[in-house]
Amino acid sequence: MTDDELTDLLAARLAAVRRRVAGGCVRAGRDPAGVTLVAVTKSVSPRVAGRLPGLGQLDLGEGRPQ
């Protein structure tokens, strides 16, 4: 997969998750701006994780011990 294809795929997946969060907020009567989406990178490569900030996903979590 090329870098551009990877970025497009991640952008689409991130947009889908953000839509789900927004929908949940509507159903719960919450403001989506009050929700922080944290991307967990424990099972992805640095190549994948490194693309997330460029897509606006700045909150990242890592679950593996160093």
Side-chain angles (χ1 to χ4, degrees), residues 7-56:
T7 299
D8 290 346
L9 176 64
L10 290 172
R13 289 182 178 179
L14 190 54
V17 170
R18 288 177 175 155
R19 282 191 302 273
R20 289 181 61 196
V21 169
C25 286
V26 168
R27 290 188 299 278
R30 288 187 63 178
D31 180 1
V35 175
T36 300
L37 177 63
V38 179
V40 178
T41 60
K42 75 183 242 180
S43 64
V44 300
S45 70
R47 178 178 178 234
V48 172
R51 298 255 174 316
L52 294 173
L55 296 172

